[in-house]
Amino acid sequence: MAIKISSLNKQGVFWNIAVATIAIIVAAPILLILTSVFSPIDDIWRHISSTVLPKYISNSIYLMLGVAFGVSILGITSAWLVTMTKFPAKRVFVWAHMLPMAIPAYLLAYIYTDFLQFSGPVQTFIRSFGLKKQDYFFPEIRSIWGAIFILTLALYPYVYLLARAAFLKQAASPSQAAKCLSANPWRIFFVIALPIARPAIVTGIAIVLMETVSDFGTVDYFAIPTFTTGIYRTWFGMGDKIAAMKLAAILLLFVLALLGLEHSSRKDYKPLRQQATSKPVAYSLLGFRAFLAFMFNFFAIAAGFILPFLLIINMSFHNLGSFKSSFWQYARNSLILASSSSLIIVALAIILAYGLRIKASKFNHIAAQIASLGYAIPGTVIAVAIIMSLGYLGTLMQKIGLGFFFIGTLFSLIYAYTSRFLTVAFRSIQNALTDITDNMDNAAKTLGHGTGSSLFKIHIPLLRNSIYTALIIVFVDVVKELPTTLIIRPFNFDTLAIQIYRLASDERLAESASAALIIVLVGIIPVIFLSRSISNKS
Amino acid sequence: MILRRILLLIFSVFFAFATAQNGEVNVYSARHYDSDIALFKDFSEQTGIKVNLLEGKSDALIERMISEGKNSPADILISADAGRLWRAEQAGLLASLDSEILTTRIAAQFRHPENKWFGLSRRIRIIVYNPNEIAVGEINNYEDLADPKWHGQICVRSSSNIYNQSLLASVIAADGTVKAEEWAKGLVNNLARKPQGGDRDQIKAIAAGECNIAIVNHYYLAKMIDSSDKTQHNAAVNVKVVFPNQSNRGAHVNISGAGISANAKNYDNALKLLEFLVTDAAQAKFAAGNFEYPIVDGIELSDIVENFGEFTADPINVAIYGELNPEAIRIMDRVGWQ
């Protein structure tokens, strides 16, 4: 018996070290940014805080509130409808809600602006009836409302995915019990289903908000001064790296506080003591209600995917000459990067989440929190921080005679993606792990399985859906990723996202449509493929 | 097992990509034009020297060079703006070049005083207007745009754009900080809409009737005139061009330019490439492929650009744009130029 305990302790130490190592390596660039909080206040900092900082803060907060509201309404409602009710075409909607993920937010911003702006087709059509600028009202797409609209459409699938997974997992019994007691569906939704799904939903919103604060493409295109645009302006306009890092660090502290809220929202949450054994009850919607449910889902997907996709197709149809054979090369590069890094990142996320479950030291908890901040840092800023860390590492290795150099290798790219995207995978897996009761671990222990073998025999099979979800999200994120790829990639190595950036930066939007079309198609493949394996199981 | 695989992957990837071949020229470029790639191809065909290209944003490329330090594989840095070259030089990234070809072909105004970077092509920030609403000769100088009579009629992109920052820097250099701030304030008061979009969007906005005046880089107008897209073409041919400040300092010129890295491993071949880029043939490609003004005089312009007419350019050394860039942004922040 004594031998067994000591071997278990050893395993605990193993997980402890594994978690600490991963977290510290991933967190290195983030720590680099955080340390700048302590740098002295300089003149530029004074200029910023007395002129534009209040605007940055208020705009960022409005943006976050708006997007949080938008994705909650779209994500939760659609997840509830397709999971817990029956209405026409529901089976299509189940996977179609993931499609908007395939379109990068910046692309969505370009397309909608082109479509809705004053000189675009919609308003030109309105004016063709003889109206002038001052004769009619049309909402300005390049506004904070426009940015909320774009980011909501681009990001609601995150909440949808996590909420749906949570609704699916819910044991049917509480809802069934409630149904027997003839509680109405609204009551069941608000009193039972929503509270049980809350941690997953909060995780989804946290991910969305991190992506919102780090978004640069949309807010820059719309010229909305937010924290992110401020960081870029300070760094690249005024050439003050320290002040910019300081702004980024403030943003991170804010995000940390937000994540603290998320964490505390879990405290009173008790995981269900059983896995869902039966299918959840599904309410059959009839007549007008079925019509409403159909329309809600249809409009979300139409606005988030169908319309922009058709506009891209239309645009690339008018620019057939812009299809080049080199696109297959770019698509191949995007695919290689996305598949290899999504596998690695999800594997690391599993080790991290499981390791924290086995043995959670305070140090590791904090390290994991910091390591998962990368998602909230504007792309170019984290990219530069990564380059700086790799630069230090390279110099260090050279000093000890290894002559090993990192920047510009695929390894450095995957490392960078890990720093950026580990959060998404880590949070969705950690969230799902809390739903596996400790009894499972204990049973495995009693049967003589070590922590490693119970991870493979018990946890990973139970986590299957969440692992697939994490793989989809990371894969699509890497395909869409621009700033980090742009600065860390090797020579003569372009991806689809980079091709779009090249053309868009020369304001050749129409010509970039063909690359955009392919990026969306590449993004759709895993979405369909993996969502099938998720729904097959359920 | 997994660890061994990961290590194997790391090593194979490392050897596949990080080894710089001797003699090949490695270019970090912030220009994203297909015509540049064609130029590098020409160079390789003529000399047998391979060119490896990494495109990115200039600031990020500069940061990468700083982080890579002595190990940097970059031989040449190309930027689409003089201010960024100034910044790279300030960071000690660029070597002083001793090339008679470069110094004789490129006017002193368009290169670093100690020859650490050189202009390759010129772009002019012009004013365009709707001739149906505004008479010829009503707008002559950048300074005129602050006149309250243009209230609600001007379109310009956001102040985060480097071309606007350099323009304001040139106004500071010419008129002083106080007057430059008054000018920026007047300009902002005259805007027809919140600054947004790119330069082409400003021209489209004139066509759509949203504003009557816009500030844009000349080659965007040329590219729109050349465009097969009817809407773009029509919008562009219906505006009139003003080369500003012709009776005084001249129109604001910015450059695309390049320098050789202080840590270049292939210095000789890099210099060959720079010298190739200022040959008549290469310069003609900058003009024909991208509608820029060549840095070397006497090169044939594209027809469209030729039609814009003759103009006098501001003779100030473009390095000043980099130096005054932070000041320009402060002014923009203060006057609320978004």
mmCIF file of all heavy atoms in Angstrom, chain A residues 47 118 142 222-223 233 236-237 241 398 405 410 487 489 492 501-502 506-508, chain B residues 14 32 52-53 55 63-64 71 87 159 194-196 199-200 208 223 325 333:
data_model
loop_
_atom_site.group_PDB
_atom_site.id
_atom_site.type_symbol
_atom_site.label_atom_id
_atom_site.label_comp_id
_atom_site.label_asym_id
_atom_site.label_seq_id
_atom_site.Cartn_x
_atom_site.Cartn_y
_atom_site.Cartn_z
ATOM 1 N N HIS A 47 0.698 62.219 -22.419
ATOM 2 C CA HIS A 47 -0.065 62.728 -23.567
ATOM 3 C C HIS A 47 -1.281 61.839 -23.843
ATOM 4 O O HIS A 47 -2.395 62.326 -24.008
ATOM 5 C CB HIS A 47 0.829 62.785 -24.809
ATOM 6 C CG HIS A 47 0.086 62.883 -26.098
ATOM 7 N ND1 HIS A 47 -0.458 64.065 -26.549
ATOM 8 C CD2 HIS A 47 -0.265 61.936 -27.015
ATOM 9 C CE1 HIS A 47 -1.092 63.843 -27.688
ATOM 10 N NE2 HIS A 47 -0.987 62.566 -27.992
ATOM 11 N N PHE A 118 -22.055 54.125 -48.117
ATOM 12 C CA PHE A 118 -22.757 55.112 -48.934
ATOM 13 C C PHE A 118 -22.596 54.833 -50.427
ATOM 14 O O PHE A 118 -23.547 54.906 -51.201
ATOM 15 C CB PHE A 118 -22.229 56.513 -48.593
ATOM 16 C CG PHE A 118 -22.988 57.625 -49.244
ATOM 17 C CD1 PHE A 118 -24.237 58.007 -48.749
ATOM 18 C CD2 PHE A 118 -22.482 58.281 -50.352
ATOM 19 C CE1 PHE A 118 -24.942 59.025 -49.348
ATOM 20 C CE2 PHE A 118 -23.193 59.305 -50.955
ATOM 21 C CZ PHE A 118 -24.427 59.676 -50.454
ATOM 22 N N ARG A 142 -19.649 51.846 -40.637
ATOM 23 C CA ARG A 142 -18.363 52.107 -39.997
ATOM 24 C C ARG A 142 -18.562 52.881 -38.709
ATOM 25 O O ARG A 142 -18.232 54.043 -38.598
ATOM 26 C CB ARG A 142 -17.462 52.906 -40.926
ATOM 27 C CG ARG A 142 -16.882 52.102 -42.054
ATOM 28 C CD ARG A 142 -16.090 53.027 -42.912
ATOM 29 N NE ARG A 142 -15.226 52.324 -43.843
ATOM 30 C CZ ARG A 142 -15.344 52.443 -45.157
ATOM 31 N NH1 ARG A 142 -16.276 53.188 -45.680
ATOM 32 N NH2 ARG A 142 -14.503 51.809 -45.941
ATOM 33 N N PHE A 222 -12.872 50.376 -39.458
ATOM 34 C CA PHE A 222 -13.973 51.293 -39.170
ATOM 35 C C PHE A 222 -13.485 52.580 -38.508
ATOM 36 O O PHE A 222 -14.287 53.456 -38.184
ATOM 37 C CB PHE A 222 -15.006 50.620 -38.250
ATOM 38 C CG PHE A 222 -15.810 49.541 -38.937
ATOM 39 C CD1 PHE A 222 -16.750 48.809 -38.235
ATOM 40 C CD2 PHE A 222 -15.631 49.270 -40.277
ATOM 41 C CE1 PHE A 222 -17.495 47.814 -38.867
ATOM 42 C CE2 PHE A 222 -16.367 48.283 -40.907
ATOM 43 C CZ PHE A 222 -17.305 47.552 -40.204
ATOM 44 N N ALA A 223 -12.178 52.676 -38.256
ATOM 45 C CA ALA A 223 -11.592 53.842 -37.598
ATOM 46 C C ALA A 223 -12.274 54.154 -36.269
ATOM 47 O O ALA A 223 -12.686 55.272 -36.006
ATOM 48 C CB ALA A 223 -11.609 55.069 -38.512
ATOM 49 N N ARG A 233 -1.110 52.587 -32.398
ATOM 50 C CA ARG A 233 -0.744 53.966 -32.695
ATOM 51 C C ARG A 233 0.449 54.408 -31.869
ATOM 52 O O ARG A 233 1.365 55.051 -32.366
ATOM 53 C CB ARG A 233 -1.965 54.805 -32.339
ATOM 54 C CG ARG A 233 -2.005 56.177 -32.886
ATOM 55 C CD ARG A 233 -3.311 56.767 -32.375
ATOM 56 N NE ARG A 233 -3.426 58.147 -32.711
ATOM 57 C CZ ARG A 233 -3.846 58.577 -33.890
ATOM 58 N NH1 ARG A 233 -4.184 57.711 -34.800
ATOM 59 N NH2 ARG A 233 -3.925 59.860 -34.126
ATOM 60 N N PHE A 236 3.571 51.984 -33.109
ATOM 61 C CA PHE A 236 4.063 52.104 -34.472
ATOM 62 C C PHE A 236 4.024 53.537 -34.984
ATOM 63 O O PHE A 236 4.795 53.905 -35.848
ATOM 64 C CB PHE A 236 3.284 51.157 -35.378
ATOM 65 C CG PHE A 236 3.367 49.741 -34.883
ATOM 66 C CD1 PHE A 236 2.229 48.989 -34.677
ATOM 67 C CD2 PHE A 236 4.592 49.176 -34.581
ATOM 68 C CE1 PHE A 236 2.318 47.690 -34.198
ATOM 69 C CE2 PHE A 236 4.686 47.880 -34.102
ATOM 70 C CZ PHE A 236 3.539 47.133 -33.917
ATOM 71 N N GLY A 237 3.115 54.347 -34.439
ATOM 72 C CA GLY A 237 3.073 55.735 -34.854
ATOM 73 C C GLY A 237 4.099 56.559 -34.105
ATOM 74 O O GLY A 237 4.910 57.246 -34.689
ATOM 75 N N LYS A 241 7.614 51.813 -27.716
ATOM 76 C CA LYS A 241 7.298 50.433 -27.397
ATOM 77 C C LYS A 241 6.846 50.292 -25.941
ATOM 78 O O LYS A 241 5.918 49.556 -25.637
ATOM 79 C CB LYS A 241 8.534 49.579 -27.667
ATOM 80 C CG LYS A 241 8.295 48.113 -27.571
ATOM 81 C CD LYS A 241 9.224 47.332 -28.480
ATOM 82 C CE LYS A 241 10.653 47.302 -28.002
ATOM 83 N NZ LYS A 241 11.531 46.579 -28.928
ATOM 84 N N GLN A 398 22.906 30.570 -28.188
ATOM 85 C CA GLN A 398 24.154 30.779 -28.887
ATOM 86 C C GLN A 398 25.308 30.944 -27.895
ATOM 87 O O GLN A 398 26.401 30.469 -28.121
ATOM 88 C CB GLN A 398 24.051 32.027 -29.754
ATOM 89 C CG GLN A 398 24.801 31.867 -31.033
ATOM 90 C CD GLN A 398 24.335 32.845 -32.070
ATOM 91 O OE1 GLN A 398 23.953 33.949 -31.730
ATOM 92 N NE2 GLN A 398 24.358 32.446 -33.302
ATOM 93 N N PHE A 405 18.895 28.690 -33.901
ATOM 94 C CA PHE A 405 18.132 29.910 -34.082
ATOM 95 C C PHE A 405 16.689 29.672 -34.472
ATOM 96 O O PHE A 405 16.400 28.877 -35.342
ATOM 97 C CB PHE A 405 18.822 30.850 -35.083
ATOM 98 C CG PHE A 405 18.411 32.228 -34.830
ATOM 99 C CD1 PHE A 405 18.881 32.914 -33.722
ATOM 100 C CD2 PHE A 405 17.463 32.826 -35.634
ATOM 101 C CE1 PHE A 405 18.436 34.180 -33.444
ATOM 102 C CE2 PHE A 405 17.022 34.103 -35.344
ATOM 103 C CZ PHE A 405 17.504 34.774 -34.253
ATOM 104 N N LEU A 410 9.118 26.835 -38.738
ATOM 105 C CA LEU A 410 7.734 26.436 -38.469
ATOM 106 C C LEU A 410 7.527 26.213 -36.983
ATOM 107 O O LEU A 410 6.463 26.451 -36.445
ATOM 108 C CB LEU A 410 7.400 25.159 -39.244
ATOM 109 C CG LEU A 410 7.185 25.355 -40.740
ATOM 110 C CD1 LEU A 410 6.602 24.097 -41.347
ATOM 111 C CD2 LEU A 410 6.257 26.523 -41.017
ATOM 112 N N ILE A 487 4.624 38.004 -39.327
ATOM 113 C CA ILE A 487 5.943 38.428 -38.869
ATOM 114 C C ILE A 487 6.872 37.263 -38.537
ATOM 115 O O ILE A 487 8.082 37.404 -38.598
ATOM 116 C CB ILE A 487 5.827 39.403 -37.673
ATOM 117 C CG1 ILE A 487 7.203 39.818 -37.191
ATOM 118 C CG2 ILE A 487 5.003 38.856 -36.566
ATOM 119 C CD1 ILE A 487 7.187 40.868 -36.143
ATOM 120 N N ARG A 489 6.819 34.046 -39.985
ATOM 121 C CA ARG A 489 6.959 32.967 -40.961
ATOM 122 C C ARG A 489 8.329 32.968 -41.649
ATOM 123 O O ARG A 489 9.040 33.974 -41.634
ATOM 124 C CB ARG A 489 5.847 33.071 -41.993
ATOM 125 C CG ARG A 489 6.028 34.198 -42.996
ATOM 126 C CD ARG A 489 4.712 34.410 -43.715
ATOM 127 N NE ARG A 489 4.871 35.088 -44.993
ATOM 128 C CZ ARG A 489 4.970 36.397 -45.141
ATOM 129 N NH1 ARG A 489 4.996 37.167 -44.068
ATOM 130 N NH2 ARG A 489 5.075 36.938 -46.325
ATOM 131 N N ASN A 492 9.611 33.206 -48.317
ATOM 132 C CA ASN A 492 8.886 32.577 -49.424
ATOM 133 C C ASN A 492 7.784 31.636 -48.951
ATOM 134 O O ASN A 492 7.573 30.572 -49.527
ATOM 135 C CB ASN A 492 9.845 31.784 -50.331
ATOM 136 C CG ASN A 492 11.076 32.585 -50.697
ATOM 137 O OD1 ASN A 492 11.005 33.793 -50.902
ATOM 138 N ND2 ASN A 492 12.217 31.919 -50.766
ATOM 139 N N TYR A 501 -4.342 39.693 -47.043
ATOM 140 C CA TYR A 501 -3.761 40.913 -46.477
ATOM 141 C C TYR A 501 -2.984 41.693 -47.535
ATOM 142 O O TYR A 501 -3.106 42.914 -47.642
ATOM 143 C CB TYR A 501 -2.852 40.552 -45.298
ATOM 144 C CG TYR A 501 -1.812 41.606 -45.008
ATOM 145 C CD1 TYR A 501 -2.154 42.765 -44.310
ATOM 146 C CD2 TYR A 501 -0.501 41.473 -45.450
ATOM 147 C CE1 TYR A 501 -1.209 43.748 -44.068
ATOM 148 C CE2 TYR A 501 0.437 42.447 -45.210
ATOM 149 C CZ TYR A 501 0.086 43.582 -44.521
ATOM 150 O OH TYR A 501 1.020 44.550 -44.291
ATOM 151 N N ARG A 502 -2.190 40.984 -48.320
ATOM 152 C CA ARG A 502 -1.386 41.641 -49.365
ATOM 153 C C ARG A 502 -2.267 42.465 -50.283
ATOM 154 O O ARG A 502 -2.001 43.616 -50.571
ATOM 155 C CB ARG A 502 -0.705 40.583 -50.244
ATOM 156 C CG ARG A 502 0.605 40.076 -49.774
ATOM 157 C CD ARG A 502 1.252 39.271 -50.900
ATOM 158 N NE ARG A 502 2.015 40.126 -51.777
ATOM 159 C CZ ARG A 502 1.964 40.089 -53.088
ATOM 160 N NH1 ARG A 502 1.151 39.258 -53.702
ATOM 161 N NH2 ARG A 502 2.711 40.892 -53.803
ATOM 162 N N ASP A 506 -3.242 46.806 -50.461
ATOM 163 C CA ASP A 506 -3.096 47.626 -51.661
ATOM 164 C C ASP A 506 -4.480 48.078 -52.131
ATOM 165 O O ASP A 506 -4.641 48.556 -53.246
ATOM 166 C CB ASP A 506 -2.381 46.808 -52.752
ATOM 167 C CG ASP A 506 -1.950 47.676 -53.926
ATOM 168 O OD1 ASP A 506 -1.753 48.880 -53.718
ATOM 169 O OD2 ASP A 506 -1.840 47.150 -55.050
ATOM 170 N N GLU A 507 -5.467 47.873 -51.252
ATOM 171 C CA GLU A 507 -6.855 48.227 -51.549
ATOM 172 C C GLU A 507 -7.367 47.521 -52.800
ATOM 173 O O GLU A 507 -8.112 48.092 -53.584
ATOM 174 C CB GLU A 507 -7.006 49.750 -51.655
ATOM 175 C CG GLU A 507 -6.534 50.445 -50.395
ATOM 176 C CD GLU A 507 -6.756 51.948 -50.421
ATOM 177 O OE1 GLU A 507 -7.482 52.432 -51.292
ATOM 178 O OE2 GLU A 507 -6.195 52.622 -49.542
ATOM 179 N N ARG A 508 -6.916 46.287 -52.998
ATOM 180 C CA ARG A 508 -7.436 45.509 -54.116
ATOM 181 C C ARG A 508 -8.398 44.468 -53.575
ATOM 182 O O ARG A 508 -8.211 43.270 -53.715
ATOM 183 C CB ARG A 508 -6.284 44.822 -54.856
ATOM 184 C CG ARG A 508 -5.438 45.806 -55.638
ATOM 185 C CD ARG A 508 -4.014 45.339 -55.751
ATOM 186 N NE ARG A 508 -3.864 44.208 -56.652
ATOM 187 C CZ ARG A 508 -2.714 43.540 -56.786
ATOM 188 N NH1 ARG A 508 -1.670 43.885 -56.075
ATOM 189 N NH2 ARG A 508 -2.640 42.536 -57.620
ATOM 190 N N PHE B 14 13.429 22.829 -38.495
ATOM 191 C CA PHE B 14 14.516 23.786 -38.332
ATOM 192 C C PHE B 14 15.466 23.744 -39.515
ATOM 193 O O PHE B 14 15.825 24.739 -40.104
ATOM 194 C CB PHE B 14 15.283 23.489 -37.043
ATOM 195 C CG PHE B 14 16.524 24.313 -36.897
ATOM 196 C CD1 PHE B 14 16.428 25.649 -36.548
ATOM 197 C CD2 PHE B 14 17.769 23.773 -37.137
ATOM 198 C CE1 PHE B 14 17.559 26.425 -36.433
ATOM 199 C CE2 PHE B 14 18.908 24.539 -37.027
ATOM 200 C CZ PHE B 14 18.799 25.873 -36.670
ATOM 201 N N HIS B 32 3.815 45.447 -50.991
ATOM 202 C CA HIS B 32 3.113 44.207 -51.346
ATOM 203 C C HIS B 32 2.614 44.282 -52.774
ATOM 204 O O HIS B 32 1.432 44.207 -53.028
ATOM 205 C CB HIS B 32 1.939 43.977 -50.406
ATOM 206 C CG HIS B 32 2.297 44.149 -48.973
ATOM 207 N ND1 HIS B 32 3.242 43.367 -48.352
ATOM 208 C CD2 HIS B 32 1.865 45.009 -48.040
ATOM 209 C CE1 HIS B 32 3.368 43.738 -47.099
ATOM 210 N NE2 HIS B 32 2.549 44.745 -46.882
ATOM 211 N N ASN B 52 15.180 35.727 -51.791
ATOM 212 C CA ASN B 52 14.157 35.193 -50.891
ATOM 213 C C ASN B 52 13.380 36.356 -50.301
ATOM 214 O O ASN B 52 13.968 37.340 -49.857
ATOM 215 C CB ASN B 52 14.798 34.381 -49.767
ATOM 216 C CG ASN B 52 15.511 33.167 -50.306
ATOM 217 O OD1 ASN B 52 14.975 32.442 -51.137
ATOM 218 N ND2 ASN B 52 16.737 32.968 -49.856
ATOM 219 N N LEU B 53 12.048 36.218 -50.276
ATOM 220 C CA LEU B 53 11.222 37.359 -49.896
ATOM 221 C C LEU B 53 10.375 37.079 -48.667
ATOM 222 O O LEU B 53 9.772 36.019 -48.533
ATOM 223 C CB LEU B 53 10.311 37.727 -51.080
ATOM 224 C CG LEU B 53 9.371 38.909 -50.872
ATOM 225 C CD1 LEU B 53 10.151 40.186 -50.641
ATOM 226 C CD2 LEU B 53 8.446 39.055 -52.066
ATOM 227 N N GLU B 55 7.441 39.298 -46.829
ATOM 228 C CA GLU B 55 6.668 40.544 -46.773
ATOM 229 C C GLU B 55 6.001 40.666 -45.412
ATOM 230 O O GLU B 55 5.586 39.683 -44.824
ATOM 231 C CB GLU B 55 5.593 40.543 -47.861
ATOM 232 C CG GLU B 55 6.146 40.695 -49.253
ATOM 233 C CD GLU B 55 5.038 40.771 -50.291
ATOM 234 O OE1 GLU B 55 3.861 40.700 -49.916
ATOM 235 O OE2 GLU B 55 5.367 40.905 -51.476
ATOM 236 N N GLU B 63 11.007 45.260 -35.880
ATOM 237 C CA GLU B 63 11.106 44.574 -34.589
ATOM 238 C C GLU B 63 11.766 43.205 -34.754
ATOM 239 O O GLU B 63 12.542 42.778 -33.911
ATOM 240 C CB GLU B 63 9.711 44.395 -33.963
ATOM 241 C CG GLU B 63 9.143 45.642 -33.321
ATOM 242 C CD GLU B 63 10.029 46.193 -32.204
ATOM 243 O OE1 GLU B 63 10.724 45.407 -31.530
ATOM 244 O OE2 GLU B 63 10.017 47.420 -32.014
ATOM 245 N N ARG B 64 11.413 42.532 -35.841
ATOM 246 C CA ARG B 64 12.006 41.211 -36.049
ATOM 247 C C ARG B 64 13.513 41.331 -36.244
ATOM 248 O O ARG B 64 14.280 40.557 -35.683
ATOM 249 C CB ARG B 64 11.354 40.521 -37.253
ATOM 250 C CG ARG B 64 11.978 39.182 -37.575
ATOM 251 C CD ARG B 64 11.072 38.292 -38.399
ATOM 252 N NE ARG B 64 11.828 37.154 -38.925
ATOM 253 C CZ ARG B 64 11.300 36.190 -39.673
ATOM 254 N NH1 ARG B 64 10.021 36.227 -39.971
ATOM 255 N NH2 ARG B 64 12.047 35.194 -40.118
ATOM 256 N N ASN B 71 22.043 37.582 -35.710
ATOM 257 C CA ASN B 71 21.648 36.367 -36.432
ATOM 258 C C ASN B 71 20.656 36.619 -37.550
ATOM 259 O O ASN B 71 20.223 35.683 -38.214
ATOM 260 C CB ASN B 71 21.015 35.381 -35.460
ATOM 261 C CG ASN B 71 21.992 34.943 -34.405
ATOM 262 O OD1 ASN B 71 23.041 34.392 -34.722
ATOM 263 N ND2 ASN B 71 21.678 35.227 -33.160
ATOM 264 N N ARG B 87 13.335 55.227 -38.842
ATOM 265 C CA ARG B 87 13.270 54.508 -37.574
ATOM 266 C C ARG B 87 14.227 53.309 -37.562
ATOM 267 O O ARG B 87 14.881 53.039 -36.546
ATOM 268 C CB ARG B 87 11.831 54.036 -37.343
ATOM 269 C CG ARG B 87 11.528 53.824 -35.898
ATOM 270 C CD ARG B 87 10.048 53.602 -35.679
ATOM 271 N NE ARG B 87 9.302 54.840 -35.639
ATOM 272 C CZ ARG B 87 7.972 54.890 -35.690
ATOM 273 N NH1 ARG B 87 7.280 53.777 -35.816
ATOM 274 N NH2 ARG B 87 7.344 56.039 -35.605
ATOM 275 N N SER B 159 -6.333 58.898 -39.218
ATOM 276 C CA SER B 159 -5.008 59.421 -38.890
ATOM 277 C C SER B 159 -4.042 58.313 -38.517
ATOM 278 O O SER B 159 -2.867 58.564 -38.330
ATOM 279 C CB SER B 159 -5.112 60.407 -37.737
ATOM 280 O OG SER B 159 -5.467 59.721 -36.552
ATOM 281 N N LYS B 194 -16.769 60.854 -40.627
ATOM 282 C CA LYS B 194 -15.707 60.322 -39.802
ATOM 283 C C LYS B 194 -14.657 59.703 -40.720
ATOM 284 O O LYS B 194 -15.007 59.018 -41.677
ATOM 285 C CB LYS B 194 -16.314 59.245 -38.912
ATOM 286 C CG LYS B 194 -15.498 58.816 -37.760
ATOM 287 C CD LYS B 194 -16.354 57.911 -36.866
ATOM 288 C CE LYS B 194 -16.566 56.543 -37.487
ATOM 289 N NZ LYS B 194 -15.651 55.489 -37.115
ATOM 290 N N PRO B 195 -13.352 59.955 -40.457
ATOM 291 C CA PRO B 195 -12.322 59.374 -41.331
ATOM 292 C C PRO B 195 -12.465 57.850 -41.375
ATOM 293 O O PRO B 195 -12.702 57.216 -40.357
ATOM 294 C CB PRO B 195 -11.018 59.755 -40.634
ATOM 295 C CG PRO B 195 -11.343 60.925 -39.803
ATOM 296 C CD PRO B 195 -12.760 60.736 -39.372
ATOM 297 N N GLN B 196 -12.361 57.263 -42.546
ATOM 298 C CA GLN B 196 -12.603 55.827 -42.681
ATOM 299 C C GLN B 196 -12.105 55.327 -44.026
ATOM 300 O O GLN B 196 -11.910 56.106 -44.963
ATOM 301 C CB GLN B 196 -14.090 55.543 -42.580
ATOM 302 C CG GLN B 196 -14.896 56.393 -43.546
ATOM 303 C CD GLN B 196 -16.390 56.248 -43.328
ATOM 304 O OE1 GLN B 196 -17.070 55.677 -44.141
ATOM 305 N NE2 GLN B 196 -16.881 56.749 -42.221
ATOM 306 N N ASP B 199 -7.581 54.988 -49.364
ATOM 307 C CA ASP B 199 -7.576 56.131 -50.274
ATOM 308 C C ASP B 199 -8.618 55.970 -51.386
ATOM 309 O O ASP B 199 -9.270 56.922 -51.792
ATOM 310 C CB ASP B 199 -6.173 56.306 -50.886
ATOM 311 C CG ASP B 199 -5.253 57.069 -49.938
ATOM 312 O OD1 ASP B 199 -5.731 57.448 -48.844
ATOM 313 O OD2 ASP B 199 -4.078 57.288 -50.275
ATOM 314 N N ARG B 200 -8.761 54.737 -51.898
ATOM 315 C CA ARG B 200 -9.748 54.534 -52.965
ATOM 316 C C ARG B 200 -11.155 54.865 -52.482
ATOM 317 O O ARG B 200 -11.972 55.383 -53.239
ATOM 318 C CB ARG B 200 -9.733 53.079 -53.443
ATOM 319 C CG ARG B 200 -8.433 52.683 -54.110
ATOM 320 C CD ARG B 200 -8.608 51.317 -54.759
ATOM 321 N NE ARG B 200 -7.328 50.665 -54.964
ATOM 322 C CZ ARG B 200 -7.024 49.961 -56.047
ATOM 323 N NH1 ARG B 200 -7.898 49.815 -57.009
ATOM 324 N NH2 ARG B 200 -5.842 49.392 -56.164
ATOM 325 N N ALA B 208 -19.861 59.198 -55.169
ATOM 326 C CA ALA B 208 -21.196 58.937 -54.633
ATOM 327 C C ALA B 208 -21.856 60.212 -54.110
ATOM 328 O O ALA B 208 -23.011 60.189 -53.703
ATOM 329 C CB ALA B 208 -21.111 57.899 -53.522
ATOM 330 N N LYS B 223 -4.520 53.748 -60.338
ATOM 331 C CA LYS B 223 -4.957 52.352 -60.387
ATOM 332 C C LYS B 223 -6.461 52.252 -60.612
ATOM 333 O O LYS B 223 -6.948 51.333 -61.270
ATOM 334 C CB LYS B 223 -4.576 51.626 -59.097
ATOM 335 C CG LYS B 223 -3.101 51.302 -59.023
ATOM 336 C CD LYS B 223 -2.735 50.630 -57.713
ATOM 337 C CE LYS B 223 -1.258 50.295 -57.685
ATOM 338 N NZ LYS B 223 -0.867 49.617 -56.426
ATOM 339 N N ASN B 325 7.245 62.390 -36.944
ATOM 340 C CA ASN B 325 6.066 61.525 -36.886
ATOM 341 C C ASN B 325 5.363 61.526 -35.521
ATOM 342 O O ASN B 325 4.144 61.717 -35.449
ATOM 343 C CB ASN B 325 6.477 60.109 -37.319
ATOM 344 C CG ASN B 325 5.281 59.247 -37.638
ATOM 345 O OD1 ASN B 325 4.521 58.921 -36.759
ATOM 346 N ND2 ASN B 325 5.095 58.907 -38.892
ATOM 347 N N ASP B 333 -4.054 63.585 -32.245
ATOM 348 C CA ASP B 333 -4.792 63.220 -31.027
ATOM 349 C C ASP B 333 -5.472 64.442 -30.428
ATOM 350 O O ASP B 333 -6.623 64.392 -30.004
ATOM 351 C CB ASP B 333 -3.837 62.616 -29.983
ATOM 352 C CG ASP B 333 -3.506 61.163 -30.291
ATOM 353 O OD1 ASP B 333 -4.187 60.589 -31.159
ATOM 354 O OD2 ASP B 333 -2.569 60.625 -29.678
#
